[in-house]
Each structure stands twice: as structure tokens, then as C-alpha cells.
């Protein structure tokens, strides 16, 4: 309700009916936790408030647990004409997964989640992987990347674990820059050998020719510096003059 109120205020302030969206991300947090009907309300309100650029793709995030246990919700998201979905796998190592709050029932749970996403009709499927955990070796990370390829995702996005501001921040000193650099190199080699490529300096790898792998919103934001509007708690907005939260 509050997000829709915020959108309505921006609609008046910016005359959004004259604005064209070139990208639309439903991010988080974990937006897939919301009730399906509430996600639908947000999508419909955005369609009513803005013009959508022809061919623009809406992207949303989910977790493996939601995708595996609620395939009907994933199917409903696709029926809303959301075409890109990103799943926060983070790691295929169960011991590490529990430390970062990612729960799934072994790799079989990840397989079920990926199957539900494909069965729903998503043809743009991203998985997020994290590296640089305390106690994680380069070989551990190599095994994680190689195992994740079995999920058959179209895109793989890599993130370094950031301990600052978390309950695990005392572990930050256990991770060396040298090991992190080796992990980046190993992941790049594994993904390239599997047919994925990334733009120079970017952390998203795509196996679809001509598709950089990031959402339309993020692609326009990063490559073209397109202004963007954030709705909801903690969301970031950017104009030609301001950066605000």
C-alpha cells in the first residue's frame, strides 16, 4: 500500500505518464516473499503510471527455497509478463549457505528451484554466486562454480562477500586479497570454458550472444547513466543532479 502511495505521489510530481521506462526491476531484499497479488498490484500500477518502452523486460529476484516450494508463485510471476528472474544461490556448499542465511535441501533443492523457473517459462534466468568467505579455499570456490553450471542458468553474476556491517564482520580479516583475486580468475576461466562471457570489468557472465546478462534497468543505469527512480524502503534514486535514498 505504501509503495503504491509513493508511486502515486511521484506520478503527480513528475507527470510520469509522459515518462518512458527503459527498465523495471523488482528487487530487494526478497520481493518474491510478498504475496503474489501484491506483486501484481505493483506491476499493474507501474503500467498505469508510466509508458513502457517497447520490448522492455521486467526483472525480479527470488530465493531457491521460494522457487522450489512455491512453483505456482513463480509461474504467476511469469504470467505477469515478468521475463527475467534472478535467484540468489550464493553458494552450492551447504555449510556456507547456512552461514549466509540461504536454506535449501541440498543440491537437489537447487535443481527443483531451477526446474520450477524453467517450467514457468522464464528464458532469462540469472543465478548469483558469492566468493571470498572466511575459510573458503580457491578449490572450494572452483567446485562451487562448476557445480552451479548444472543449474543451466543463462547468466551467472558473481559477488564478493562483504562482511562490513554484518554479524560476521569479525571474519573479514580472515580473507586475503590474494585469495580473492585468485577466485575471480578461477571463476572467469570456468565460465569462459562453459561458454559464458562478460563485458570487460563486469561481474555478470552471459551465454546468450549479444546479451550482456544484466537487467534492462541495470544495463541502462550503468552503461548509459540513465536516471532512475527508486520506490520503497532504502531504494536509491538518481537524476542528472542528485543521488538520493
Amino acid at each position: 500500500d505504501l509503495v503504491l502511495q509513493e508511486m502515486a505521489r511521484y506520478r503527480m510530481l513528475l507527470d510520469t505518464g509522459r515518462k518512458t521506462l527503459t527498465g523495471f526491476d523488482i528487487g530487494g531484499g526478497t520481493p518474491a516473499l510478498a504475496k503474489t497479488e501484491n506483486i501484481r498490484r505493483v506491476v499493474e500500477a507501474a503500467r498505469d503510471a508510466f509508458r513502457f518502452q517497447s520490448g522492455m523486460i521486467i526483472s525480479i529476484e527470488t530465493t531457491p527455497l521460494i522457487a522450489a516450494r512455491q512453483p505456482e508463485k513463480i509461474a504467476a510471476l511469469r504470467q505477469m509478463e515478468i521475463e527475467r528472474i534472478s535467484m540468489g544461490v550464493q553458494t552450492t556448499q551447504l555449510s556456507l549457505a547456512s552461514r549466509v542465511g540461504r536454506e535449501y535441501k541440498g543440491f537437489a533443492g537447487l535443481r527443483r528451484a531451477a526446474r520450477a523457473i524453467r517450467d514457468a517459462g522464464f528464458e532469462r534466468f540469472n543465478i548469483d554466486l558469492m566468493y571470498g568467505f572466511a575459510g573458503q579455499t580457491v578449490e572450494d570456490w572452483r567446485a562451487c562454480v562448476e557445480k552451479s553450471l548444472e543449474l543451466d542458468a543463462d547468466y551467472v553474476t558473481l559477488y564478493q562477500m562483504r562482511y562490513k556491517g554484518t554479524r560476521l564482520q569479525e571474519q573479514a580479516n580472515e580473507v586475503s586479497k590474494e585469495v580473492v583475486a585468485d577466485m575471480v580468475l578461477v571463476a572467469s576461466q570456468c565460465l569462459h570454458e562453459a561458454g559464458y562471457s562478460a563485458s570487460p570489468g563486469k561481474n555478470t557472465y552471459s551465454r546468450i550472444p549479444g546479451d550482456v546478462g544484466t537487467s534492462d534497468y541495470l544495463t541502462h543505469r550503468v552503461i548509459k547513466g540513465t536516471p532512475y527512480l527508486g520506490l520503497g524502503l532504502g531504494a536509491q534514486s538518481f537524476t542528472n543532479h542528485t543521488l538520493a535514498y
Side-chain angles (χ1 to χ4, degrees):
D1 290 343
L2 292 173
V3 168
L4 296 187
Q5 287 180 35
E6 188 178 11
M7 191 182 299
R9 293 190 179 201
Y10 274 114
R11 184 173 185 171
M12 291 186 294
L13 180 68
L14 302 178
D15 191 11
T16 60
R18 300 176 59 188
K19 306 287 185 181
T20 299
L21 287 187
T22 58
F24 181 12
D25 276 15
I26 305 173
T30 307
L33 279 172
K35 293 180 180 178
T36 302
E37 180 55 30
N38 284 337
I39 299 172
R40 181 178 290 107
R41 290 173 64 202
V42 170
V43 172
E44 290 178 350
R47 290 188 184 280
D48 190 47
F50 296 89
R51 293 181 301 190
F52 281 23
Q53 184 180 68
S54 178
M56 186 201 75
I57 292 172
I58 306 174
S59 182
I60 196 167
E61 299 174 16
T62 188
T63 66
L65 209 57
I66 292 171
R69 292 184 176 179
Q70 301 181 61
E72 71 285 349
K73 175 178 279 189
I74 302 301
L77 297 176
R78 184 65 189 87
Q79 290 165 9
M80 296 177 208
E81 297 184 3
I82 298 173
E83 296 183 56
R84 183 183 183 275
I85 192 165
S86 182
M87 184 168 74
V89 173
Q90 316 310 8
T91 178
T92 59
Q93 290 178 263
L94 287 176
S95 59
L96 286 180
S98 61
R99 283 165 52 187
V100 295
R102 278 290 181 259
E103 297 181 25
Y104 52 85
K105 301 302 181 183
F107 196 76
L110 292 178
R111 286 187 187 277
R112 282 194 297 273
R115 185 73 268 150
I117 286 170
R118 291 305 194 189
D119 287 347
F122 282 97
E123 296 180 357
R124 291 175 172 84
F125 171 34
N126 174 76
I127 60 172
D128 292 340
L129 297 177
M130 295 182 72
Y131 59 94
F133 292 98
Q136 183 185 38
T137 68
V138 174
E139 287 309 307
D140 288 337
W141 170 237
R142 183 194 300 275
C144 172
V145 174
E146 291 177 344
K147 190 66 176 175
S148 72
L149 293 173
E150 296 179 26
L151 298 176
D152 197 33
D154 303 297
Y155 321 116
V156 179
T157 301
L158 310 178
Y159 294 98
Q160 182 181 347
M161 174 60 181
R162 304 292 186 184
Y163 283 100
K164 186 176 180 180
T166 74
R167 58 187 174 83
L168 302 173
Q169 64 182 17
E170 72 279 358
Q171 298 179 13
N173 294 331
E174 301 176 35
V175 184
S176 73
K177 294 180 179 178
E178 291 77 17
V179 168
V180 165
D182 287 344
M183 288 178 170
V184 172
L185 181 60
V186 161
S188 179
Q189 291 172 339
C190 289
L191 290 167
H192 276 111
E193 289 172 3
Y196 293 79
S197 62
S199 300
K202 302 303 179 184
N203 62 327
T204 294
Y205 289 74
S206 171
R207 67 177 185 183
I208 300 177
D211 185 344
V212 296
T214 48
S215 67
D216 283 355
Y217 152 75
L218 192 59
T219 301
H220 279 271
R221 166 181 167 171
V222 172
I223 295 177
K224 298 183 178 180
T226 303
Y228 51 89
L229 176 65
L231 302 174
L233 291 173
Q236 184 188 85
S237 296
F238 171 73
T239 74
N240 294 324
H241 311 286
T242 61
L243 180 66
Y245 291 87

